[in-house]
Amino acid sequence: MFLFQATHPRGANGALLRLLALLAAFALLLVLAGNATAAEPSLSEIYRILKTKEFVDLTHAFDPDIPHWPGFPAEKRETIYWYDKGVGSVGHGFFAQVFCHVGQWGTHCDPPAHFIKGLRTIDQIDVKEMLLPLVVFDVHEQVAANPDYVLTLEDVKAWEKKHGPIPEGAFAALRTDWSKRWPDPAAMRNAGEDSTAHYPGWSLDALKYLYEERRITASGHETTDTDPGVSTSKGDYSCEAYILGQDKYQIELLANLDKVPETGALVVVTFPKPFFGSGFPARVFAILP
C-alpha cells in the first residue's frame, strides 16, 4: 500500500475512497439483512404456513352410549325440531336437539375447580392456554405388556435425552393407545374378576416434574382418568387432584395420539364457556410440523 501511494498518490486516494464506499455499502446491507431476519412474520404469513400442514383430530365424537366415569349418568338427547313434520317433539322446518349430559362427557376439559374449591372454573381459563406446543410421551408398548403401567419420571427423562428439554408452557399428552378400545365401555375399564379396573395412567413423580420443573400448561390422556385403574378402583385420584390443585386444566379421553409425533407439533384445545362451569366436552386437534 505504501509503495502504491508513493508512485500513484491520486490513484491511491481514489482506490481508498472506493474501498471505503464498498465497505459502507456492505455494512448497510448487513444491517438491512439483519433487520429483515429479525422482523416477525405477519399473521397472514403464519396462516399460509399453517394451512399447508396436516391437522389431526384428537377428539372422540360423543353420544349417549360412550364410555364414561361410572359415577356419571348417561347422556340424554332429544330432537325437538326436524326438517319434516311428525319427528321433532316441538316442531319442524329445521334440525335442533337438546343435549343433557354431565360436563365431564366424551373428550372433555377438567378445570381446576372440578376438584379444588375456589380455583378456576372452565370459563376462567385464558384463551392463551389453548394453543400450545405438543409433547407426546409414547408408552403404548409398555401398556400392551402391562395395562397397569404408569408414566414414570424415568420415562420423562428418557424423552428429554432424546428430544431435549420439554418446552415451558407445553401440553403434555400420554400416548397409551387405550383410545383404540373406544367406544367399548368394558374394554376401556378392563375390570378383573374382583372388579378392579386395569388401565394405565400417570405417576405423581412425573407430573410434579412436568408441572413444577418444566412448567407445562396442561396435560391429557386417552383413559377416563388421570390415575391408573388400580388406584381409582380404590377411590385414589391423587394425580388428578395434584394437576387441578396447581390451578391447571387437563383433557381426558383423547384420541389419535398414535398419529402425531413426540415433539414438534402444536395442539389447539377448545371448549365452550359456560359460566362457573365444572367442565365441558372439548374439541382438540394437533397441527403437525
Side-chain angles (χ1 to χ4, degrees):
M1 174 65 75
F2 293 111
L3 289 174
F4 183 80
Q5 287 179 334
T7 54
H8 302 283
R10 293 183 181 179
N13 289 338
L16 181 60
L17 289 174
R18 287 195 296 273
L19 177 59
L20 291 173
L22 286 172
L23 289 174
F26 183 65
L28 179 61
L29 287 174
L30 288 177
V31 170
L32 293 174
N35 289 339
T37 302
E40 292 185 354
S42 68
L43 289 177
S44 295
E45 291 170 329
I46 293 172
Y47 174 69
R48 283 196 293 271
I49 295 171
L50 288 179
K51 72 179 183 178
T52 66
K53 303 298 183 179
E54 181 180 356
F55 285 50
V56 176
D57 195 346
L58 304 180
T59 315
H60 291 293
F62 66 81
D63 62 49
D65 300 318
I66 62 168
H68 57 277
W69 187 67
F72 290 147
E75 173 195 339
K76 296 179 182 178
R77 189 180 302 194
E78 178 186 1
T79 298
I80 59 173
Y81 284 88
W82 185 247
Y83 309 105
D84 307 316
K85 291 182 179 180
V87 178
S89 59
V90 175
H92 69 281
F94 55 90
F95 182 29
Q97 298 170 294
V98 172
F99 299 85
C100 182
H101 56 73
V102 69
Q104 280 69 24
W105 195 252
T107 303
H108 66 269
C109 175
D110 288 329
H114 177 47
F115 268 30
I116 313 297
K117 184 178 180 180
L119 294 188
R120 294 185 298 167
T121 50
I122 197 167
D123 53 308
Q124 295 172 324
I125 295 174
D126 195 284
V127 292
K128 286 189 176 181
E129 298 174 61
M130 299 181 184
L131 174 60
L132 305 168
L134 178 60
V135 167
V136 179
F137 299 110
D138 181 3
V139 295
H140 80 280
E141 292 183 355
Q142 295 93 315
V143 170
N146 174 18
D148 298 320
Y149 191 84
V150 296
L151 180 79
T152 66
L153 180 56
E154 289 71 25
D155 291 327
V156 176
K157 294 292 185 68
W159 188 99
E160 290 194 311
K161 186 176 181 180
K162 180 179 179 181
H163 299 293
I166 293 161
E168 182 175 344
F171 183 100
L174 179 58
R175 177 191 168 187
T176 58
D177 283 1
W178 209 254
S179 63
K180 295 180 183 297
R181 296 170 176 248
W182 184 274
D184 185 337
M188 290 287 289
R189 182 164 173 76
N190 195 35
E193 293 182 1
D194 62 351
S195 297
T196 297
H198 295 278
Y199 51 79
W202 301 80
S203 73
L204 192 55
D205 285 345
L207 288 171
K208 285 184 175 181
Y209 178 79
L210 291 168
Y211 279 98
E212 296 177 29
E213 299 294 329
R214 292 308 183 215
R215 303 179 66 83
I216 65 171
T217 291
S219 54
H221 43 269
E222 300 173 61
T223 52
T224 54
D225 296 294
T226 318
D227 299 82
V230 292
S231 296
T232 61
S233 296
K234 299 181 292 185
D236 179 0
Y237 296 89
S238 55
C239 287
E240 182 166 356
Y242 168 77
I243 294 172
L244 303 183
Q246 301 303 302
D247 205 25
K248 303 294 186 179
Y249 75 85
Q250 68 169 14
I251 300 295
E252 295 192 309
L253 294 169
L254 288 168
N256 297 323
L257 288 175
D258 58 324
K259 297 179 181 178
V260 299
E262 293 185 350
T263 186
L266 298 175
V267 67
V268 180
V269 184
T270 64
F271 37 81
K273 193 179 180 180
F275 176 72
F276 202 63
S278 63
F280 218 84
R283 189 66 181 269
V284 185
F285 62 91
I287 305 173
L288 274 51

